[in-house]
Amino acid sequence: MLALILLFPLLGFLANASFGRRLPKTISGGVASAVMVASFTVSAMTVWELAGLPVEQRAIEQTIYTWIASGDFVLDLTLRVDPLSAVMILVITGIGSLIHIYSTAYMHEEADSEYARYFAYLNLFAAFMLVLVLGANFLVMFVGWEGVGLCSYLLIGFWFKKQSAIDAGKKAFVVNRIGDYAFILGMLLLFAHFGTLDFQQLAATVATIPPEVGVFGVLSIASLLLFIGATGKSAQIPLYVWLPDAMEGPTPVSALIHAATMVTAGVYMIGRNAVLFSHAPGTLMIVAVIGALTALLAATIGLVQNDMKRVLAYSTVSQLGLMCLAMGVGAFGAGIFHLYTHAFFKALLFLGSGAVIHALHGEQDIRNMGGLKRHLPVTYWTFLVGALAISGVPLLSGFFSKDEILYEAFREGHTVLWFIGAVASLMTAAYMFRLVFLTFHGERRHDAPAHPEPSHPEPSHLAPSHLAPSPLHDAPPAMAFALIVLAIGAVLAGYIGVPHALGGHNQLAEWLAPSFAASGAVGGELAAVGAEEVALEFTLMGVSSAIALGGIAIAVLVWLRRPEIAASMARRYPGLHRLLLNKYYVDEVYNAVVVQPIRVGSQEGLWRGFDVRVIDGAVNGTGAIVAASAGVLRLLQTGFVRTYAGSMLIGVVVILGYYLW
């Protein structure tokens, strides 16, 4: 059954890649969506079977074949479902199915061959992500890890005739390779030290070793290298720069990458290796600090962005920072909880933005929006639910998971990190409702600076609405269905983790406990909660609620009631506004410090000095030597038998003469 989970989307890829250009769109999109629904069905059946097993036996394995056998080392291509990977396969196939269904309407204007190519890539993406989370060892995980990197390149650059899409795809690919290089080194270091790449065997061995407190040994170095890999996939400082540019792909691709698949890979990898990371407290602190700083950095940038999808992109970076903060303070269950709830409301927000862009014929600048609430009611109300959820408004899914992260950070004594996370959460609520108000409320505006060639990431057949006005239309049925289902999930998904202070218990933490049990990382979450901790949790919950509502109140004041305040602040602090609008000039710094020196060195010094003279010289020199030798040997190959006999005679005489001498 496990192989079927990833086999279905793989078959969908093969069908569309092989026959898609000869199939009508209804069949191409239908096949791609059907295989995802089938994969979700098998995943749900597998998780149901898993839930019926005793807690200590909750694992199902399937060995496909022996992949590598060298001496004593044997590595099987093995798939494994435990409570952690069970959550992931449900998210990937469930949210992925909705995104596929949504795409059937969103991408309908593409040519038949391009439509099939899009769905082939989308299915392949899902298949590789399932390989990543189902792999029972590092090497199988790494196949999926690299596969989603490849598919992100293909999907981000889907409109390959557009230079910005090509550049964004290359950027994502190169930046992720930097992280992957560190991931490989960490994997090899673990193998060299422990002789295994199997997650279970590695966890059992590491559990017998004392934590590296006060030292930075092999476990700390290996886990740090793995985390560098995670900063690439899960967009943390310093490798987060590819994710905002990934908006150049179609909007459903943004939803798939940001919500259900690729960006969660790094967080999942840390959770999968909770035993290892919990024995490297030095690395865990680095993870927590990087996560907190990433959350804050991205939130400040999101406050001033004008591209609808870029606001959501930076919100993804910020939310991933909160997940890494949770992982870094040892609250692995809280991090996975937020990963799970985030999948619903972030997919909802991206698909909602896609419905707006679809209605406005490619427009993405929120300065050219406004007044859409009455024209797009389904999109507006579902988008509003997503904004409330990500802001952490009480009783919606984001409230439960975000509150759990901040509570765990505070309880573990990381008050500074808690404060940074709280400030980032305040900003999240503010910029999300800035987005809501500027997009859907007020009157329609056309305030964006004019561009001779608008650089909108959406299809070339969609012209910006102020250049080609046409009647506004709400999301068509396939898109509306996905939005409504995701909105329901954004409301209800958090109720599997109702905190003790509200009279519930965290069912998700209990479910995930076997995946982290060897490290003792969730002992605090599952232990009996005393009255003092309930009081602390209730207090921090009140603070979290006030933060969410306060952020919304700021947005109401600044961008709804008195929009002149925002313009006044931009004029009063032009340097700060320009700094945030240009994303702290991080891309420019990378370009000046890394990209240009490599480019100049390659074109001038390195290419002409080393490559041409040394590399090419060695190759050409080898060829010249072979040619000269062949010229000499050619003289001996006369074709006359008597010449060959004479040569043999001379040879015999020389050899005998040598020995007689």
Side-chain angles (χ1 to χ4, degrees):
M1 293 286 283
L2 300 190
L4 287 177
I5 296 173
L6 55 91
L7 186 61
F8 278 123
L10 184 60
L11 290 175
F13 159 73
L14 293 174
N16 270 315
S18 302
F19 312 111
R21 63 176 61 246
R22 293 187 290 274
L23 296 175
K25 291 177 183 175
T26 51
I27 295 180
S28 294
V31 168
S33 302
V35 295
M36 288 302 298
V37 172
S39 183
F40 173 72
T41 303
V42 177
S43 297
M45 293 168 60
T46 302
V47 175
W48 180 265
E49 180 182 350
L50 188 72
L53 297 174
V55 174
E56 65 278 2
Q57 298 176 16
R58 280 183 182 161
I60 301 172
E61 283 193 1
Q62 180 182 356
T63 298
I64 308 300
Y65 62 87
T66 298
W67 184 6
I68 299 173
S70 177
D72 294 334
F73 176 66
V74 177
L75 188 140
D76 296 326
L77 200 164
T78 302
L79 307 178
R80 187 175 191 272
V81 166
D82 68 350
L84 175 58
S85 52
V87 173
M88 295 301 297
I89 60 175
L90 290 178
V91 168
I92 295 165
T93 57
I95 304 295
S97 296
L98 294 173
I99 292 171
H100 278 69
I101 293 169
Y102 177 100
S103 295
T104 59
Y106 189 86
M107 299 295 290
H108 198 265
E109 297 300 320
E110 295 290 331
D112 287 359
S113 59
E114 295 299 286
Y115 191 80
R117 180 169 67 90
Y118 169 82
F119 278 105
Y121 291 167
L122 218 60
N123 276 166
L124 186 62
F125 199 124
F128 274 126
M129 191 65 197
L130 289 166
V131 171
L132 190 155
V133 300
L134 287 172
N137 56 67
F138 268 110
L139 210 53
V140 177
M141 171 188 270
F142 192 68
V143 171
W145 189 275
E146 290 298 287
V148 294
L150 167 66
C151 292
S152 69
Y153 166 77
L154 296 173
L155 285 167
I156 293 168
F158 177 75
W159 288 307
F160 57 86
K161 294 182 180 180
K162 190 157 166 280
Q163 187 60 44
S164 58
I166 296 171
D167 293 340
K170 288 190 294 187
K171 186 176 183 179
F173 192 81
V174 172
V175 171
N176 272 279
R177 296 296 75 71
I178 296 170
D180 295 350
Y181 181 70
F183 187 97
I184 292 171
L185 292 178
M187 184 170 62
L188 293 176
L189 179 59
L190 289 172
F191 176 70
H193 195 73
F194 296 104
T196 182
L197 292 172
D198 184 89
F199 293 127
Q200 292 302 107
Q201 295 177 16
L202 187 64
T205 304
V206 171
T208 63
I209 302 173
E212 293 181 343
V213 179
V215 296
F216 212 80
V218 172
L219 297 181
S220 299
I221 295 172
S223 58
L224 180 60
L225 288 169
L226 294 176
F227 174 62
I228 294 173
T231 63
K233 281 291 182 288
S234 291
Q236 299 297 287
I237 294 172
L239 300 180
Y240 69 93
V241 291
W242 69 271
L243 192 56
D245 287 14
M247 299 303 95
E248 294 290 339
T251 299
V253 170
S254 303
L256 190 65
I257 291 176
H258 285 243
T261 56
M262 184 169 166
V263 296
T264 63
V267 177
Y268 167 79
M269 185 272 295
I270 296 174
R272 170 56 63 212
N273 294 282
V275 179
L276 172 64
F277 278 85
S278 62
H279 278 67
T283 298
L284 275 186
M285 181 51 63
I286 293 173
V287 173
V289 171
I290 292 294
L293 294 178
T294 302
L296 183 62
L297 178 87
T300 58
I301 296 173
L303 282 169
V304 299
Q305 296 301 304
N306 296 311
D307 186 295
M308 190 177 194
K309 286 172 67 178
R310 282 190 179 270
V311 175
L312 296 177
Y314 280 104
S315 79
T316 298
V317 177
S318 186
Q319 297 306 303
L320 290 166
L322 289 179
M323 296 176 206
C324 286
L325 169 60
M327 295 302 195
V329 299
F332 299 105
I336 299 300
F337 187 17
H338 197 54
L339 182 157
Y340 157 73
T341 59
H342 177 263
F344 286 95
F345 53 71
K346 183 51 60 67
L348 171 61
L349 290 168
F350 266 112
L351 297 185
S353 73
V356 172
I357 295 165
H358 194 269
L360 298 182
H361 306 280
E363 182 61 77
Q364 291 184 207
D365 196 317
I366 58 177
R367 293 170 294 182
N368 288 329
M369 297 183 188
L372 299 180
K373 175 182 176 182
R374 59 183 176 273
H375 299 289
L376 312 174
V378 173
T379 302
Y380 169 71
W381 287 108
T382 53
F383 194 92
L384 180 63
V385 169
L388 290 168
I390 195 174
S391 299
V393 170
L395 305 183
L396 276 77
S397 61
F399 164 74
F400 295 109
S401 57
K402 191 177 293 186
D403 174 72
E404 184 77 11
I405 292 173
L406 295 178
Y407 166 65
E408 290 290 342
F410 192 92
R411 190 182 71 166
E412 295 297 326
H414 302 288
T415 51
V416 174
L417 297 179
W418 171 85
F419 179 76
I420 294 174
V423 172
S425 298
L426 177 72
M427 292 182 179
T428 298
Y431 68 66
M432 283 308 307
F433 274 85
R434 169 183 179 261
L435 181 60
V436 170
F437 296 145
L438 293 182
T439 302
F440 294 101
H441 290 253
E443 299 299 326
R444 185 71 185 277
R445 303 176 304 278
H446 301 293
D447 301 335
H451 296 284
E453 293 183 4
S455 57
H456 295 277
E458 297 309 308
S460 56
H461 62 268
L462 295 181
S465 56
H466 60 286
L467 299 179
S470 62
L472 297 179
H473 57 87
D474 207 350
M479 294 165 62
F481 170 76
L483 292 174
I484 292 170
V485 173
L486 288 169
I488 294 170
V491 174
L492 301 178
Y495 283 89
I496 63 171
V498 177
H500 296 281
L502 294 181
H505 66 282
N506 198 326
Q507 297 176 356
L508 186 62
E510 294 179 0
W511 169 258
L512 291 171
S515 298
F516 311 133
S519 66
V522 296
E525 293 178 336
L526 301 179
V529 179
E532 292 183 1
E533 290 200 14
V534 170
L536 174 63
E537 189 174 16
F538 197 80
T539 302
L540 292 176
M541 191 184 307
V543 173
S544 296
S545 302
I547 288 170
L549 297 176
I552 296 173
I554 292 172
V556 170
L557 176 65
V558 176
W559 290 289
L560 186 63
R561 302 298 176 119
R562 298 180 59 188
E564 68 274 8
I565 293 178
S568 174
M569 293 288 287
R571 288 192 301 269
R572 183 176 300 179
Y573 305 103
L576 177 61
H577 182 262
R578 192 160 50 250
L579 181 69
L580 297 179
L581 195 60
N582 289 282
K583 303 158 286 186
Y584 294 98
Y585 296 99
V586 172
D587 283 305
E588 289 77 3
V589 171
Y590 281 4
N591 186 61
V593 175
V594 180
V595 177
Q596 291 306 322
I598 292 175
R599 179 175 294 169
V600 172
S602 298
Q603 293 174 345
E604 301 296 334
L606 183 62
W607 182 74
R608 292 183 179 175
F610 184 77
D611 192 53
V612 172
R613 296 176 184 173
V614 178
I615 303 299
D616 288 354
V619 173
N620 295 334
T622 302
I625 292 171
V626 171
S629 302
V632 174
L633 292 173
R634 192 180 299 118
L635 299 176
L636 301 177
Q637 301 298 324
T638 63
F640 294 108
V641 176
R642 285 174 292 180
T643 302
Y644 297 152
S647 300
M648 293 176 62
L649 177 61
I650 293 171
V652 171
V653 170
V654 169
I655 294 171
L656 290 175
Y658 172 77
Y659 279 106
L660 291 173
W661 176 75

